[in-house]
Amino acid sequence: MRVSTSTPLPLVLLALLAGCQREPAEGQAPEAPPAATAPANAPSADAPSPPSADAHPACPADAGTAPAGELVAVRIAAADGDGTRGLYEGPVWSGDALYFSDFTFDDGFPSRIRRLTSDGHLETVVDPSGSNGLALGEDGALVAATHDRKEISRFDPVDGSRMRIVGEFQGQPFNSPNDLVIGRDGTIWFTDPDFQRAAAPGGQDRTRVYRVGAGGEVTVVDDTIANPNGIALAPDGNTLYVAGGGEQGVLRAYALVDGRPAGQRDLVTDAVVPDGLAVDCLGNIYLTEHNRRRVRVVSPQGQPLATIAVDANLTNAAFGGPQRRTLFLTGAGSVWSIELGVAGLPY
């Protein structure tokens, strides 16, 4: 499907995500230092509050039971592709289908958005998209971290039209936005490693985690994780999770106070090439380890609960299905699924 490109949108994000209204052009906010320590009146980052199961509208009152032990996910045959040429990334469940990015290792890392329906039909909905991680706007639009234009973009899944949300910090393009999550107040949190920096000219001098406020201001959450990757929010929205660091990677939790970081702690310190994240309605985190071909499930306190193995390199995870108790996993030309006893968030 052809993608039409609109004039870059300013950043009144609540209006944009809800209905794409045009506003005056935005300015960029100065860089904020990473939130490394909690202020005196903030809760301790060493003990993030356990999320309540009913805090998120996608979560049922009875969220279910967390997985335990060693589990194995199975391939979905309809989505099998060529894992030697590229990766599937950024899954998000919307309606009765799983959407994900499909990009290759060719020059510029060309990418498209695919849709896998509940009856096993695979189709392309946006091509090209230049996308990696995907999220959902309030109006059902797909919000994407895109490396082709080094920006956060909004795609209409019906006609493929594209609008820019944000594309630079302090006057310079981002490196290659990778993954994102949207809070219920419209705040966008995203990671900006340099994996696909070569897809377009320019970039930042560091890899960072960013916050885009509902009014459009861009600030730095953290610049101390090498190539930050997966990102997610707890069901109650009071904790942000980020994975990254490569061979000696971490899963980091940031306590949020009034929608801003106010302290941090590392839940996992021995992750090997950590990639994308998913979160269930009990607040447990599903950390994918790319080269280890597995998911590590840990509690909000970092306690190990389960592992889920696959048979190829792994990139990301999302809950879907009629009751959102199916965990979908993406990776090297593959989509896997596993039925769990707990409901989870759609990206």
Side-chain angles (χ1 to χ4, degrees):
M1 179 177 294
R2 184 179 66 86
V3 179
S4 61
T5 304
S6 302
T7 302
L9 284 186
L11 289 175
V12 183
L13 292 182
L14 287 174
L16 175 62
L17 295 176
C20 282
Q21 300 176 11
R22 295 178 183 269
E23 301 287 345
E26 88 281 3
Q28 295 293 334
E31 181 172 359
T37 58
N41 62 348
S44 170
D46 290 335
S49 301
S52 55
D54 60 353
H56 195 285
C59 291
D62 180 9
T65 304
E70 298 180 357
L71 308 174
V72 178
V74 297
R75 284 178 181 252
I76 299 176
D80 263 355
D82 185 354
T84 66
R85 297 192 60 248
L87 297 170
Y88 293 165
E89 255 285 12
V92 58
W93 182 267
S94 179
D96 64 349
L98 184 76
Y99 293 77
F100 61 91
S101 296
D102 174 3
F103 74 86
T104 73
F105 302 135
D106 296 339
D107 290 345
F109 304 97
S111 174
R112 55 185 172 167
I113 297 175
R114 314 290 300 278
R115 176 169 56 209
L116 179 65
T117 62
S118 56
D119 61 0
H121 180 63
L122 182 65
E123 57 190 354
T124 299
V125 293
V126 179
D127 187 11
S129 65
S131 61
N132 196 312
L134 302 176
L136 287 177
E138 288 185 354
D139 60 349
L142 295 172
V143 182
T146 62
H147 49 259
D148 65 337
R149 299 180 190 169
K150 301 175 179 285
E151 68 182 25
I152 304 298
S153 303
R154 176 197 185 276
F155 290 97
D156 187 318
V158 177
D159 63 15
S161 59
R162 177 175 184 171
M163 296 181 179
R164 179 196 233 197
I165 296 176
V166 61
E168 62 181 35
F169 176 69
Q170 292 189 334
Q172 296 297 319
F174 297 114
N175 292 311
S176 58
N178 183 277
D179 203 1
L180 74 164
V181 64
I182 304 174
R184 277 176 280 168
D185 62 353
T187 299
I188 295 177
W189 311 82
F190 73 96
T191 57
D192 186 38
D194 60 12
F195 299 134
Q196 288 86 43
R197 179 177 170 136
Q204 296 288 321
D205 60 349
R206 302 190 70 137
T207 60
R208 300 185 178 100
V209 182
Y210 291 98
R211 177 188 187 273
V212 186
E217 69 279 5
V218 182
T219 54
V220 174
V221 175
D222 197 344
D223 64 0
T224 66
I225 300 176
N227 282 323
N229 200 328
I231 191 167
L233 283 166
D236 62 7
N238 291 332
T239 307
L240 177 74
Y241 300 107
V242 175
E247 293 287 340
Q248 298 178 335
V250 300
L251 171 62
R252 185 164 294 171
Y254 305 81
L256 302 181
V257 176
D258 296 329
R260 293 183 179 275
Q264 64 191 46
R265 71 182 281 249
D266 290 343
L267 300 182
V268 176
T269 58
D270 62 348
V272 178
V273 192
D275 208 317
L277 302 174
V279 177
D280 69 27
C281 290
L282 298 173
N284 303 308
I285 306 101
Y286 295 67
L287 168 66
T288 65
E289 290 182 288
H290 187 85
N291 296 346
R292 283 191 169 179
R293 301 181 175 185
R294 71 174 186 178
V295 179
R296 293 171 68 172
V297 186
V298 300
S299 74
Q301 294 75 36
Q303 299 168 332
L305 301 176
T307 60
I308 304 171
V310 297
D311 59 359
N313 288 354
L314 190 58
T315 62
N316 218 321
F319 281 87
Q323 297 179 323
R324 288 212 179 95
R325 292 176 184 254
T326 303
L327 182 68
F328 291 97
L329 305 170
T330 54
S334 301
V335 178
W336 299 265
S337 69
I338 183 171
E339 299 300 318
L340 297 176
V342 63
L345 304 186
Y347 66 90

